[in-house]
Amino acid sequence: MAGTWVKRAGWGVGGAVVAVAAYLAAWPVPIQPVAWTAPAAPGYQGVHAPNQRLAQLNIIDLKGEVGPEHIALGKDGKLYTTVLSGNILRMNPDGSGQEVFANTGGRVLGVDFDAAGNLIAADAVKGLLSIAPDGKLTVLADKVGSDPIRYADAVVVAQNGKMYLSDASTRFAPKDWGGTFEASVLDILEQASTGRVIEYDPASRSTRVVARGISFANGVALSQDEKHLFVNETGKYRVWKIAVDANDLDIAQPGPQARVLLDNLPGYPDNLMRGQGGKVWLGFAKPRGAAIDNMAGKPWLRSLTLRLPRALWPIPQPYGHVIAFTDDGKVVADLQDPSGAYPETTAITETADRLYVQSLHAHGLGWLPKP
């Protein structure tokens, strides 16, 4: 009798093992991974040597709001910050006088002001929006031709009024995949490089693709002469410099209109913000992870990863890190907090006396006094 029980138990365990193996091998996942070659991670050395310059931030309480992903200074001297709830908060530079300026019903990730004082917003759910000083909201663009803008991420407004928007992924829209972070993980694991940069011309109300083929197109900033765009390619750890007059350029074959300005960075570059004194600020959402780099040439392994519980996904630990560079690609500032106490330091907004730190998930708005 005991032998029969042992045999049955053995069959049960064996069946469970087979079922788990079959699940890990064949359960459908949303990504179709593409093999690529990840450069060897540089680590934290040279201009990126570890430091504590971003540690012990001052925090402005956002009264329950989460994720001050982008911060802009208005002509009225107020700070405008986007948060997870869909609200855009307006406040004094010291954080006092907080109020809801507008709610888009989506998730705004990037903002800039146009010459008329309208807040131009890249909403990951709604597309490219204009919010008037009285809070009235207008959709400027949610398509390029007949193709939807699925993941509006960052926006910058040129002096001639044209707007440049990153559409991070044409595969994974946050509204369909559980939010902005979840959709970004899917896109970066897949590496199909479907991100693009779009120009919107308010004079003609027309859109066009400037460049495409980007592995999660993220932060966008203009060069000082406004002849080029800086574009973060988050999935491949680099920053591109692309001519604004490029038209539907595939960066797999860039030619003279595009080049990699910063390559093989130590983390995932997120937002870009033009600072003072010719600087462009860049934030890293996460540090590089060896597990993800080691899967670059193993698409099957990336598929298997998504069959695991989310807690087992190879998401790197928090590490605070922002840098500033000049238009020619020279890194002129590097601020870090290895403890990652302030999560996802996605960029810096620089004012005359402060550096405001952006974050996708923080419960407060971080800031440092300028040295």
Side-chain angles (χ1 to χ4, degrees), residues 9-336:
W11 279 110
V13 171
V17 170
V18 170
V20 170
Y23 168 79
L24 292 176
W27 189 262
V29 294
I31 64 173
Q32 299 172 11
V34 175
W36 71 291
T37 302
Y44 294 94
Q45 59 180 330
V47 294
H48 305 304
N51 63 73
Q52 300 286 329
R53 299 187 186 106
L54 203 61
Q56 298 180 339
L57 292 176
N58 300 288
I59 302 295
I60 293 172
D61 182 8
L62 295 180
K63 306 184 189 316
E65 297 280 11
V66 177
E69 167 67 1
H70 210 118
I71 305 149
L73 183 67
K75 292 181 179 179
D76 56 4
K78 305 273 190 178
L79 288 181
Y80 292 74
T81 183
T82 69
V83 288
L84 182 61
S85 66
N87 285 335
I88 297 173
L89 305 179
R90 178 168 58 190
M91 67 190 79
N92 295 319
D94 63 359
S96 65
Q98 287 183 36
E99 60 182 342
V100 176
F101 166 62
N103 185 296
T104 68
R107 174 47 158 143
V108 176
L109 297 176
V111 291
D112 197 5
F113 284 94
D114 68 10
N118 300 304
L119 186 68
I120 306 302
D123 189 306
V125 176
K126 303 287 187 177
L128 182 65
L129 312 177
S130 176
I131 306 171
D134 63 1
K136 181 181 178 181
L137 189 150
T138 303
V139 178
L140 298 179
D142 57 9
K143 294 182 177 66
V144 181
S146 60
D147 189 26
I149 296 171
R150 293 174 181 83
Y151 197 140
D153 196 309
V155 65
V156 64
V157 181
Q159 291 183 16
N160 63 10
K162 292 182 178 180
M163 303 168 188
Y164 296 93
L165 169 77
S166 60
D167 188 9
S169 171
T170 58
R171 287 268 294 134
F172 300 104
K175 66 181 178 63
D176 297 328
W177 296 101
T180 57
F181 182 74
E182 291 77 5
S184 71
V185 170
L186 293 175
D187 191 85
I188 291 169
L189 280 177
E190 183 173 75
Q191 283 291 340
S193 299
T194 66
R196 57 190 177 175
V197 179
I198 297 164
E199 178 191 271
Y200 174 75
D201 186 348
S204 61
R205 299 182 181 178
S206 61
T207 56
R208 69 177 184 89
V209 175
V210 177
R212 56 186 170 85
I214 303 169
S215 179
F216 203 79
N218 208 324
V220 177
L222 282 159
S223 61
Q224 291 190 86
D225 61 10
E226 300 202 340
K227 293 181 179 180
H228 293 87
L229 292 165
F230 302 116
V231 181
N232 278 346
E233 186 175 21
T234 303
K236 291 185 175 174
Y237 323 122
R238 58 191 182 183
V239 181
W240 285 87
K241 187 174 184 178
I242 302 172
V244 295
D245 58 1
N247 187 51
D248 200 27
L249 176 70
D250 185 350
I251 65 164
Q253 300 174 325
Q257 288 190 302
R259 68 182 179 92
V260 175
L261 183 71
L262 295 173
D263 200 8
N264 196 21
L265 291 165
Y268 290 90
D270 199 311
N271 289 335
L272 292 172
M273 287 288 287
R274 173 63 68 178
Q276 298 182 352
K279 296 190 298 292
V280 178
W281 285 99
L282 177 154
F284 294 101
K286 295 283 188 182
R288 295 272 288 272
I292 296 176
D293 280 356
N294 291 339
M295 291 191 293
K298 304 178 181 69
W300 63 271
L301 192 54
R302 280 180 270 147
S303 292
L304 184 148
T305 296
L306 286 184
R307 297 183 181 109
L308 299 174
R310 178 171 170 168
L312 298 179
W313 287 6
I315 297 172
Q317 294 300 308
Y319 189 106
H321 194 188
V322 297
I323 65 173
F325 62 90
T326 57
D327 282 17
D328 59 1
K330 180 182 178 182
V331 176
V332 293
D334 185 288
L335 289 70
Q336 299 179 32

Side-chain angles (χ1 to χ4, degrees), residues 328-351:
D328 59 1
K330 180 182 178 182
V331 176
V332 293
D334 185 288
L335 289 70
Q336 299 179 32
D337 178 10
S339 76
Y342 190 77
E344 285 101 26
T345 49
T346 52
I348 290 282
T349 296
E350 182 178 4
T351 65

